Each structure stands twice: as structure tokens, then as C-alpha cells.
Amino acid sequence: MHCPRFTDFLIEEGVRDKITVIASGGIRTAHDVAKIIALGADGVCTGTADLVRLECIRCHNCESGRGCARGIATTDAELMNLIDLEWGTQRIINLFLAWRKELVRILKRLGMKSIRELVGRTDCLVHLDYMGKQASNS
Ligand code: SF4
């Protein structure tokens, strides 16, 4: 079954180069970034990965009461002091530097020099659920 991608529609309409597609949701590793770029996105937007890097405990209380008891998602001055700005900044920098390093490794394995080369390259992806079927069909 062919499942057209959103970007296929943009290509058919002749506007793919005029639109920047940013994808989000469930992006927790550099491999997730690579997969979503290969599916056609130009870039990604992260959230949970950053929060967890700041030691978020996923308690889902971001918008209730005084806000985050860890001092991450709050405007309460006392709670905000729970996080050291330099420490938090360095943690986020480390996260994205590690992802960058892994993405460079992935691109190298695919013989690519830039992540732009990976955009829309669904041929680089394999759906594990269909791997056996692909092997038996060939
Ligand atoms: S309240 Fe703080 S610790 Fe809890 S989910 Fe939100 S950011 Fe994470």
C-alpha cells in the first residue's frame, strides 16, 4: 500500500522549495532526527528530550499550581532558583553536541556530506515490521 507523504503533495504542487517543513513529536535521539529528515522534514523541533536533560521527572505538573517542582517549567522565582542557569545551559549544549556527533556518524555511513542530502531519502529507511516480507519478496 502506498502511503503518500505530506512532502510528496508539496512536490506535486510545485511548492516544496518554498516551504520549510519542521517536524516534532517523539524525537529523543539523533536516530529519530535522521529518520524524520529521511521522511521529508527539513528540520526538527524538540521538547521532551531537552526537559529530560534538565532532569525533568515527567510528572506532568508543568501547568498546575506554582509550576514545576524541579524549577524547569515555572515562573515562580523561588522554584526557578532550583536550576543553575549555567548547569542547565551546558546540559542542553551537551545534548545537541552529542546528537550532532551521532548525526555526522549516520551521514558518513550513508555516504552523505550534509543533512540536506538526507531530506526525503525514504530509500535509506527500513520498516522493521516489513523486513522479513521485503527479504522474501526479493
Ligand atoms: S513539572 Fe517539571 S518535572 Fe514535571 S513534567 Fe513538567 S518540567 Fe518535567
Side-chain angles (χ1 to χ4, degrees):
M1 183 178 80
H2 176 65
C3 180
R5 293 170 298 153
F6 170 65
T7 48
D8 289 339
F9 172 74
L10 296 178
I11 292 165
E12 281 164 26
E13 292 297 311
V15 295
R16 180 64 186 91
D17 293 341
K18 295 184 176 119
I19 291 174
T20 301
V21 178
I22 303 295
S24 68
I27 299 166
R28 297 184 178 92
T29 67
H31 287 268
D32 293 334
V33 175
K35 283 183 265 182
I36 209 135
I37 297 290
L39 282 169
D42 296 299
V44 301
C45 173
T46 61
T48 305
D50 315 47
L51 290 177
V52 170
R53 196 70 189 149
L54 296 174
E55 299 188 345
C56 162
I57 52 171
R58 308 294 296 131
C59 66
H60 305 290
N61 287 328
C62 309
E63 288 152 30
S64 51
R66 287 172 70 195
C68 175
R70 306 296 295 240
I72 304 167
T74 183
T75 52
D76 183 288
E78 194 184 332
L79 293 175
M80 279 167 69
N81 283 334
L82 293 173
I83 284 212
D84 179 78
L85 191 59
E86 259 184 56
W87 171 86
T89 305
Q90 195 57 56
R91 300 268 300 181
I92 298 294
I93 290 171
N94 292 349
L95 170 71
F96 290 118
L97 282 178
W99 281 18
R100 184 190 177 280
K101 206 171 174 184
E102 188 58 30
L103 277 168
V104 167
R105 221 187 326 252
I106 292 166
L107 292 173
K108 219 172 177 180
R109 239 181 282 147
L110 294 169
M112 296 176 185
K113 289 195 169 97
S114 159
I115 197 148
R116 295 293 311 154
E117 292 178 48
L118 185 59
V119 177
R121 289 287 307 275
T122 51
D123 58 301
C124 296
L125 300 169
V126 176
H127 195 300
L128 293 180
D129 290 345
Y130 302 132
M131 251 178 101
K133 285 180 193 160
Q134 283 175 343
S136 61
N137 287 344
S138 59

